[in-house]
Amino acid sequence: MTSRLLLLLGLLLPLGAVAQEPQNLDAVPGNQENTLTWDAPAPTTVDDDETVVCYGVYRDTEAIGSNDPEDQSEKRIEGIEAAEGTAPAYTDRDLSAGETYYYRVGAEVAETEDLPASCGDAGTQVSSLSNQVSATPLFLKITEPSPPSPDPVDVGTAVDVTADVRSLPPGAEVLLRYREGGESTFEEEEGDGGGELDKTIPGARATLRGVEYVVEVRDEDETLAQAPSDGTASIRTEGPVSPPRQPGDTYRIVSFPTELDDPELSNIFEPLGSYDSSEWRLFSIGPSGLTADGGYVEQNELEGASLSAGRALWFIRRNGGALDPVEGTSIPVDQPYEIQLDEGWNLIGNPFAFDVPLSQVRVENTAGSLQEVFGYNGSFVNQADGVLEPYRGYLVYLSGGQNGTLVVHPSPEEVSATTSSARAPDARWAVDLSARVGQARDPMNTLGTAPNATDGVEAADGREPPPIGDYVSLSFRAPSQDRGLWRDMRSTGGGLRTWTAEVRTNVSGLVTVNASDISSVPDDQSVWLVDPVLDQTQNLRETPTYQFPASEATDARSLRILVGPSAAVQRRLGRDADRPERVELLPSVPHPVRSHATFRYRVPERTRATLELYDLLGRRVATLVDDESVGPGTHTYAWTRQNTGGTLSSGAYLLRLQAGDVTRTRRLVIMQ
């Protein structure tokens, strides 16, 4: 009795994991392939101790009559691992044209305690097979020109595109879609029906930008197949590459889109004659980076040196003008272009003959990050979210202490969401400083605080670009860095903060430093400038412009910017709110005076001030400050020889200050 009862119970209990068969199997034809999709089954046992391990795909060129997997085992072509959270699918490729294929799918399950398990393991159980579906794959082939990269065609030459489509579904159409490189939309040409396409890309579209095209089979708005099967095909074009006109006596970073037939510098610059540094010059970043003093290497040896696509050089030409055209071939526009970067500074160019947004540029193969890209039009320009233009070159910085690869995507459809470019943190407040002397400008310098910034040097802090030619450069001193920063963002903590700005120039004249966007700093924070050389302080909220004279031989001038609560700033300045007790005319710096000097004076209260220069015979030579209203404190006047027409001869002079009813005079020696 007992044994018969146990036997009956055993017959009633499940002997193993058995899954419901997959549901809603569907097949969609493609180019020499069919794509299957189905719904994952649910276990039919009384508990949740079973797991779907994989799916078996069954295929035949005739209808699969039985849904018993044991009867159809020889028709099983693939096992597809099940992935939680992913809809199951399978693409059956390399199929024959004109053949109809039939499919069923089965699920293999195992008890959870027996995991891990694989398809076909002895412990797995196979469900009944799913519903049956069939599909006839398309056969789409471009016969002319031969993809993916036919021989280049001459600029302006029309291109015939022919394609053959077999097993075209009823109602479907064949399309040729094409565009010039860099364009965002395609032009379309419909086939003539019957599964054939014979169309022409007009010669007007065959420019140095290159051409990309694709042939598609569509059923209403759905693309059933395309050739090439992934992306587009590229047609390269060849012809004269004509650089734009170069302004005279002005540095520019130059580059050539396309692959030049002869990229040697001797060929590119041949019309200018032999290298002559008095008429034209080239500079590059050397194989070991910048020179020891942070400069560029003159590229005066043209033979054996070349300028390949994606590379750039500094170029200056006394008389300006355009270089003669050179022959080149467009870069394929169906794939990204890679430029190898060294750690630190690199001169790069756009390899394509059309604008490429910086959103389509990233770095790979490195743990470093790409700093902002700098253009140059007489001063450096941060491209930020701009574009790479053809023929222009750019200066970029790769941080992280290692080399990497710059990837330039010609089409926005190819851009990955992942980028290794550094981005500035969102500022809580930011002040911009600019510097100028003569024609030299440095308009791009930022200090401030941001919630996600740190007080150390980080990737998003911008490195000051190395200058060239007649320059003025303002940068913020960075700890443990051999070069300064053009952008220095700090954390948002309270208290006093100090930035040290270093101003360098190789131009004699009056240096003007100007602060803008000070209104972004909270009202309860003071913003002061300190010039330790002149022992001069200035409230930048009241007077945002500061000047001092410089000569070519002047070392870097360090200025400090203090931002914080008023009491803390005043303590750091080493004084309280007391005013000078009397009118004083302080010694000039330097003295004796040669090409430049700073004249200083103090007044105890607001008054009108006049500062004049006399010779020893009492004749007025120049009026420097003409009856201006000045507040209490120390004031400066930055003088250069040009302020007095450059005609002052060497000798002794008298500097005279009239402040209200008080007069002060100091002897001054000027030397050639």
Side-chain angles (χ1 to χ4, degrees), residues 534 536 549 585-591 593 596-601 611-613 624-625 634-640 643 655 668 670:
L534 300 179
Q536 172 71 9
L585 181 58
L586 303 173
S588 65
V589 179
H591 194 259
V593 176
H596 68 281
T598 299
F599 303 142
R600 303 175 295 163
Y601 60 94
L611 187 64
E612 298 170 309
L613 189 64
L624 308 177
V625 177
T634 302
H635 301 272
T636 63
Y637 179 83
W639 176 86
T640 65
N643 294 147
L655 188 64
L668 190 69
I670 296 178

Side-chain angles (χ1 to χ4, degrees), residues 425-430 448-453 489-493 519-522:
D426 295 331
R428 175 71 55 83
W429 60 262
T449 64
N452 54 342
M489 304 300 291
R490 308 281 182 83
S491 61
T492 56
S519 60
S520 69
V521 182

Side-chain angles (χ1 to χ4, degrees), residues 395-418:
L395 186 67
V396 302
Y397 187 90
L398 181 62
S399 66
Q402 55 184 287
N403 301 337
T405 304
L406 187 72
V407 182
V408 183
H409 290 270
S411 301
E413 295 93 335
E414 301 175 12
V415 178
S416 168
T418 303

Side-chain angles (χ1 to χ4, degrees), residues 256-315:
F256 287 81
T258 76
E259 292 180 351
L260 299 183
D261 292 357
D262 184 354
E264 281 210 1
L265 299 185
S266 57
N267 172 61
I268 298 172
F269 298 97
E270 180 182 21
L272 302 182
S274 301
Y275 192 88
D276 183 352
S277 60
S278 65
E279 293 296 327
W280 60 281
R281 307 179 77 179
L282 296 172
F283 289 87
S284 64
I285 295 176
S288 301
L290 299 174
T291 60
D293 58 356
Y296 302 95
V297 176
E298 185 155 12
Q299 188 70 53
N300 51 13
E301 294 292 334
L302 305 185
E303 295 292 338
S306 62
L307 186 60
S308 58
R311 299 297 177 182
L313 291 171
W314 285 104
F315 176 46

